[in-house]
Amino acid sequence: MGVDSELRAAVSGRVLLPGDDGFGEATRPWNRAVAQPVAAVVEAADADDVAAVVRHARRTGRAVSAQATGHGAAPGADGVILLRTGRLDEVEVRPERRLARAGAGASWGRVLAAASPYGLTGLAGSSPIVSVTGYTLGGGLSWFGRRYGWAADAVTAFEVVDAAGERHRVTGESDPELFWALRGGGGDFAIVTAVEFELHPVPGLYGGRVTWPLARAAEVADAFLEITAQAPPALSAWLGRVNIPQAPPMVTVDVAFLGTADEARELLKPLDAIGDVMADQRRVLDPADLGAITNDPADPAPLAARTELLTGLDAATVRTLFGEPIDPIAAVQVRHLGGALADDRPDRGACGTLAEPYLLYTLGLAVNPEVAAAVRERQRRLVADLGGVVAGRKPYPFLTAGETAADAFPAATLDRLRQVKRTRDPDGVIRAGFPV
């Protein structure tokens, strides 16, 4: 029996090899600008399939890279077995213990919908289609991060397959070093088949987007700075700029507040003094509708993104981001951080403390290599123009092509993660999108 036949025989899920119908499409991640020249694609039916694939890879000298949605894909998948975990999509909510368990393929949208009837929520980000597991392995920056910290802080257990193909349940008590690494250090140490995490009560949820013409950007930015200077941890606000064809240039503020609508309106009063509102979508929300705040694109597309952490947001920075032409960049977003993300917690995982108060995210469509290069060059110049407010490191979940784990972690953290890798997977059987 050949190697390929052995792989097909080892699993109950679908195996696709070069030349098979559907192989090319199965290799593609959510960001269509990332090529994945993999050796095989396995759509695991269950955790036993995951273990079988790892054992096969180890025996044949291959590496395995796990993806559910492929949102965190990066160049570097040459020759690996791409393990699709989308079918491991079970979701269980235990309201009496304020816990949830999500399979590796479960999306945040499904978890939020399951938890919402109990007045509970998880620490989800802006997109409901992102997998809980991939998001959490990178740390997970949530709308509620200022109140509760990283999504990884809420994890109570991981169900994993190790580099030997053995299944384990990992907790802070059973394996503290691996538990630390998996909470924000990425998927380079074991393949996670399910994650268990704490849920948080929702006393009320108010949020949405307000949009103005770009001509109002200076006033909107002033209001944003006023709001974030005194915002309680329960309030998150993001300042944005939208610059797309067939639409007028716009400036936006997205907000999410854990509390009552009256409390939120009082905190957000500076926005109400700005005229020419194009749309105001703020309202009382069900936690299951969290994705409606920004309405992130659900369909795959070729994208070029860049993220930076900012040490501050002054008038010069605002002018650079919102007062100058940015073509061909399509969107600029400044997220207010701080709160619990900046707490120096001794029990925190590899994601660590996020001391910087703001995050800058820029995005452009990479419809062809020439346009992609132009977007990246404009992003580079934009960041250079910001000067000293750029912190020089990036959150791990926002790494993109050309960046590495060394751009995200302090040296001591990276050394510790590499020691975990050497100990748990010295042969490199498991490969994350951004390996340590």
Side-chain angles (χ1 to χ4, degrees):
M1 184 182 292
V3 171
D4 295 344
S5 298
E6 287 179 9
L7 181 57
R8 293 188 194 276
V11 301
S12 56
R14 187 169 70 144
V15 176
L16 292 169
L17 302 170
D20 290 346
D21 289 344
F23 174 78
E25 182 62 27
T27 68
R28 302 177 78 188
W30 190 83
N31 183 355
R32 298 307 204 208
V34 177
Q36 298 196 124
V38 302
V41 179
V42 179
E43 297 172 352
D46 51 30
D48 287 338
D49 268 5
V50 174
V53 170
V54 172
R55 290 194 296 269
H56 173 86
R58 186 177 189 84
R59 189 168 60 250
T60 58
R62 294 280 190 189
V64 179
S65 184
Q67 290 178 9
T69 63
H71 275 79
D78 304 44
V80 308
I81 298 173
L82 180 61
L83 181 62
R84 293 290 190 187
T85 58
R87 291 174 62 183
L88 282 68
D89 62 352
E90 65 276 13
V91 172
E92 178 187 359
V93 172
R94 305 166 196 162
E96 72 286 352
R97 298 180 59 193
R98 290 184 181 170
L99 287 176
R101 177 185 175 276
S107 68
W108 267 116
R110 292 193 59 228
V111 171
L112 295 177
S116 179
Y118 304 103
L120 300 170
T121 190
L123 301 183
S126 58
S127 174
I129 66 171
V130 170
S131 73
V132 173
T133 294
Y135 169 92
T136 303
L137 286 172
L141 276 174
S142 169
W143 275 116
F144 310 133
R146 287 176 34 78
R147 176 65 179 83
Y148 293 113
W150 296 89
D153 293 335
V155 173
T156 54
F158 294 97
E159 296 171 28
V160 309
V161 172
D162 67 15
E166 300 294 330
R167 295 176 61 182
H168 303 278
R169 177 180 167 87
V170 177
T171 68
E173 291 72 38
S174 71
D175 194 336
E177 197 65 2
L178 182 56
F179 188 65
W180 171 83
L182 291 172
R183 288 184 301 140
D188 215 24
F189 316 98
I191 293 181
V192 174
T193 58
V195 59
E196 179 188 274
F197 52 96
E198 297 173 346
L199 297 170
H200 297 282
V202 181
L205 179 59
Y206 180 88
R209 169 172 287 183
V210 190
T211 306
W212 297 264
L214 186 62
R216 292 286 190 170
E219 297 165 82
V220 175
D222 286 346
F224 176 79
L225 289 171
E226 182 180 349
I227 290 166
T228 57
Q230 55 191 0
L235 176 65
S236 287
W238 302 352
L239 175 65
R241 177 177 180 177
V242 181
N243 181 50
I244 56 177
Q246 286 81 54
M250 295 172 283
V251 60
T252 63
V253 173
D254 300 308
V255 297
F257 177 68
L258 280 169
T260 68
D262 287 344
E263 292 173 301
R265 292 188 189 103
E266 185 64 28
L267 292 167
L268 298 170
K269 269 187 174 180
L271 300 179
D272 299 330
I274 305 169
D276 295 332
V277 173
M278 299 171 67
D280 188 345
Q281 299 166 316
R282 292 175 294 173
R283 64 191 188 279
V284 175
L285 295 171
D286 186 285
D289 297 328
L290 201 60
I293 296 176
T294 58
N295 280 316
D296 286 4
D299 296 329
L303 304 172
R306 178 164 178 165
T307 301
E308 302 289 345
L309 292 169
L310 304 180
T311 59
L313 194 64
D314 56 17
T317 303
V318 169
R319 281 195 303 273
T320 299
L321 295 176
F322 295 92
E324 304 291 338
I326 59 170
D327 296 291
I329 295 173
V332 170
Q333 184 184 81
V334 177
R335 300 186 182 188
H336 184 214
L337 303 176
L341 293 165
D343 292 345
D344 190 11
R345 292 173 44 170
D347 63 337
R348 185 156 268 162
C351 50
T353 298
L354 194 56
E356 293 84 357
Y358 295 99
L359 177 148
L360 169 66
Y361 178 75
T362 62
L363 181 70
L365 286 173
V367 292
N368 59 50
E370 293 75 22
V371 172
V375 171
R376 294 191 181 98
E377 172 59 19
R378 186 67 187 91
Q379 290 168 327
R380 185 198 65 78
R381 288 190 287 113
L382 184 67
V383 171
D385 289 345
L386 295 177
V389 300
V390 178
R393 74 180 187 104
K394 305 159 186 286
Y396 182 84
F398 288 86
L399 292 176
T400 189
E403 298 168 346
T404 70
D407 294 307
F409 298 112
T413 300
L414 188 60
D415 287 346
R416 186 176 172 186
L417 288 169
R418 288 173 173 169
Q419 180 57 39
V420 175
K421 180 66 172 179
R422 285 192 292 268
T423 302
R424 306 310 175 105
D425 184 20
D427 298 320
V429 177
I430 296 166
R431 187 182 300 173
F434 294 93
V436 300

